Amino acid sequence: MSDPNNKFLFIAYSLVWIVFMLYAWSLARRQSKLRRDLEELKSRTALRDIPPPREP
Amino acid sequence: MTAHAILTLAWLLVALYMIFIYAPSDVNQGNVYRIMYVHVSSGWTAMIAYFLVFVGSVWYVWKRSPFADDVACASAEVGFIFCSCLLITGPLWAKPIWGIWWTWDARLTLTFVLWLLFVAYLLVRSFFINPGRAALLSAVVGIIGFVDVPIDYMAIRWWRTQHPQPVIMGGPNSGLPPSMEATLFVSAGAFLCLFFYLLRQGLRLAEARREIGQLRRLLSE
């Protein structure tokens, strides 16, 4: 005979799973954005180090 | 996938097996008591998280170490997640057992205060644009707010509460059957492993933000 309280067990574990998945997604999104920003800034600092063209 | 990630995943899988297969049903509560494993594990982890917020905050105020600030901030963010899980699973266990979703007894109230302290720490950080001021003021929250943690932990020992008395290191006639106790410790270990994995990810984010800040300052010169 199924226990009517099992739905609370299912909901609890489902919500915990959802919370952690959402947080993991948030972390991954922020890491991705920071990585892109870092690469862009590194390329801009590298460009500044390029010597100016020689005069004719 | 890093070794830490693999260890965390494996530990969580073992914990899930023990929670749903190994641990027996409770004579009085049936299967719904299995919420205990994620509820108690979240609670212990949340308190450890705030302890790290406290340690990082003290260290920052004393030494103005950027790494200490990163530890405090990352611990607060991850601790907020675990404390939220604690407050979600508690009422879902309480309703079928007590017949009520919530009551303002000492343990539940102080745990809600702990959650608010995590929120306050994160809000203070985001409110101030100046990073030094944000770090210092949030450290104050981290230090003063830590008072809540030991009182929250001891609340069910010091006062008569709606919340059950402790099952680990409680008085005489307390405790769990060995299989349940083992499952609880494995679950708690898995959650702690997950906490430290997420904490490390948070520290990597902080390190990247610091490097970006340095590059931006370099470009603006």
Side-chain angles (χ1 to χ4, degrees):
Chain A
M1 191 156 58
S2 67
D3 185 347
N5 291 334
N6 283 346
K7 63 175 181 283
F8 293 98
L9 179 66
F10 175 76
I11 292 168
Y13 277 83
S14 299
L15 285 176
V16 168
W17 172 254
I18 288 168
V19 164
F20 279 110
M21 286 300 103
L22 284 173
Y23 184 62
W25 172 78
S26 162
L27 271 177
R29 195 173 53 93
R30 280 183 280 161
Q31 275 178 350
S32 173
K33 184 183 183 305
L34 284 175
R35 204 176 301 124
R36 280 197 309 272
D37 289 348
L38 202 53
E39 280 165 15
E40 189 211 326
L41 284 168
K42 280 180 176 172
S43 65
R44 280 167 62 186
T45 51
L47 279 172
R48 279 185 55 174
D49 289 335
I50 296 172
R54 281 190 196 173
E55 297 205 10
Chain B
M1 227 176 170
T2 63
H4 195 167
I6 294 169
L7 173 67
T8 302
L9 188 61
W11 205 331
L12 284 168
L13 288 172
V14 169
L16 280 174
Y17 169 81
M18 291 182 77
I19 289 167
F20 288 106
I21 309 291
Y22 173 72
S25 292
D26 184 71
V27 167
N28 298 314
Q29 298 187 22
N31 282 319
V32 76
Y33 95 96
R34 296 176 198 272
I35 295 175
M36 171 187 74
Y37 298 114
V38 70
H39 178 72
V40 173
S41 302
S42 297
W44 288 348
T45 306
M47 290 188 186
I48 289 170
Y50 208 92
F51 174 68
L52 287 178
V53 172
F54 171 72
V55 167
S57 298
V58 168
W59 184 4
Y60 178 77
V61 169
W62 182 31
K63 292 288 187 185
R64 292 290 197 268
S65 158
F67 178 71
D69 179 53
D70 291 345
V71 167
C73 184
S75 297
E77 188 175 294
V78 183
F80 166 75
I81 298 297
F82 281 93
C83 200
S84 299
C85 288
L86 175 65
L87 290 178
I88 288 169
T89 53
L92 285 167
W93 189 11
K95 180 60 177 172
I97 303 304
W98 303 341
I100 51 172
W101 293 104
W102 184 266
T103 185
W104 293 104
D105 78 350
R107 166 51 72 88
L108 273 68
T109 304
L110 287 166
T111 302
F112 182 63
V113 168
L114 178 65
W115 184 82
L116 288 176
L117 286 165
F118 278 121
V119 171
Y121 183 97
L122 296 170
L123 280 177
V124 166
R125 284 209 78 92
S126 64
F127 185 74
F128 292 95
I129 298 170
N130 182 301
R133 186 171 287 268
L136 187 61
L137 290 172
S138 57
V140 170
V141 174
I143 292 168
I144 296 175
F146 183 67
V147 168
D148 178 79
V149 174
I151 301 174
D152 186 10
Y153 181 77
M154 295 301 290
I156 54 176
R157 291 167 174 79
W158 286 342
W159 301 298
R160 290 179 67 84
T161 59
Q162 176 70 38
H163 190 282
Q165 295 297 292
V167 292
I168 302 294
M169 295 191 297
N173 302 321
S174 72
L176 294 169
S179 56
M180 289 185 184
E181 192 172 282
T183 303
L184 180 58
F185 282 125
V186 169
S187 303
F191 266 49
L192 265 181
C193 195
L194 176 61
F195 168 76
F196 283 110
Y197 175 76
L198 293 172
L199 178 65
R200 285 178 68 184
Q201 300 311 306
L203 289 174
R204 282 177 59 194
L205 282 179
E207 193 184 327
R209 273 194 291 268
R210 216 171 285 290
E211 197 176 341
I212 285 170
Q214 286 168 356
L215 285 171
R216 283 198 173 126
R217 277 191 295 276
L218 198 63
L219 280 169
S220 65
E221 284 168 3

